[in-house]
Amino acid sequence: MFYASLKLIHLLSIVVWIGGMVFAHFFLRPAVQTLEPPVRLALMCNVLQRFFTAVQVAVVLTLVTGLWMIGRVAREAVQLGGPFSMPLSWTVMATLGLAMMAIFGHLRFAPFKRLQRAIAAKNWAAGAQALAVIRTGVTVNLVLGVAIIAITVLLV
């Protein structure tokens, strides 16, 4: 039951993260393109502030539950006297997941801070540039996230 609970938390965290990226990229961003730069940038900054807070929680939960589940399976294998060999799908999931976390950390603490500063200074060009960098990073993370899901499901 404990393992199943960890897996549920792990999956729900990923749903929040990837689902939020899909919503922002394919629905919110196109809808706000008609707004004037000051309104559009302020709205996107406000939305991203909330989303990035949720993703920070999702990242921590995903990392902790993932490591815990791998550790538990490894410990059980050793206790049964056998070796632990992490499945390829888990290795790919963990590696790409860590890459996604690093990209998110960069987006949250570099271009997002530039976006906030640009809005405070009413520098709409700099704000648009920071938002473009964030959009590119989100696109990369979305592709990685979908790849992780596909690999994990198809290689099991």
Side-chain angles (χ1 to χ4, degrees):
M1 180 66 167
F2 183 67
Y3 186 86
S5 298
L6 289 174
K7 195 171 187 178
L8 177 63
I9 292 167
H10 191 80
L11 290 172
L12 290 176
S13 296
I14 291 164
V15 166
V16 167
W17 191 358
I18 294 177
M21 289 189 295
V22 167
F23 171 76
H25 195 69
F26 294 109
F27 302 101
L28 179 63
R29 189 181 66 80
V32 301
Q33 291 302 311
T34 60
L35 301 174
E36 292 298 318
V39 175
R40 180 177 67 245
L41 292 170
L43 174 63
M44 289 302 294
C45 186
N46 199 330
V47 169
L48 287 172
Q49 177 69 52
R50 288 171 166 74
F51 177 59
F52 284 172
T53 299
V55 172
Q56 283 176 253
V57 172
V59 163
V60 169
L61 290 173
T62 300
L63 185 59
V64 168
T65 56
L67 290 173
W68 199 305
M69 287 186 292
I70 290 169
R72 181 173 174 162
V73 170
R75 187 174 52 251
E76 288 175 0
V78 170
Q79 287 173 348
L80 293 172
F84 172 69
S85 180
M86 196 154 90
L88 177 61
S89 61
W90 291 14
T91 303
V92 171
M93 182 183 354
T95 303
L96 294 180
L98 289 171
M100 286 181 68
M101 291 174 195
I103 292 167
F104 167 71
H106 169 72
L107 294 176
R108 172 67 181 87
F109 296 107
F112 182 67
K113 291 293 184 189
R114 288 195 299 271
L115 175 63
Q116 291 175 313
R117 286 193 302 271
I119 290 170
K122 297 183 184 342
N123 184 343
W124 311 123
Q129 187 177 23
L131 199 55
V133 171
I134 293 168
R135 181 178 63 245
T136 300
V138 166
T139 301
V140 170
N141 260 359
L142 184 55
V143 168
L144 289 174
V146 170
I148 291 169
I149 292 169
I151 290 166
T152 304
V153 169
L154 296 174
L155 289 182
V156 169

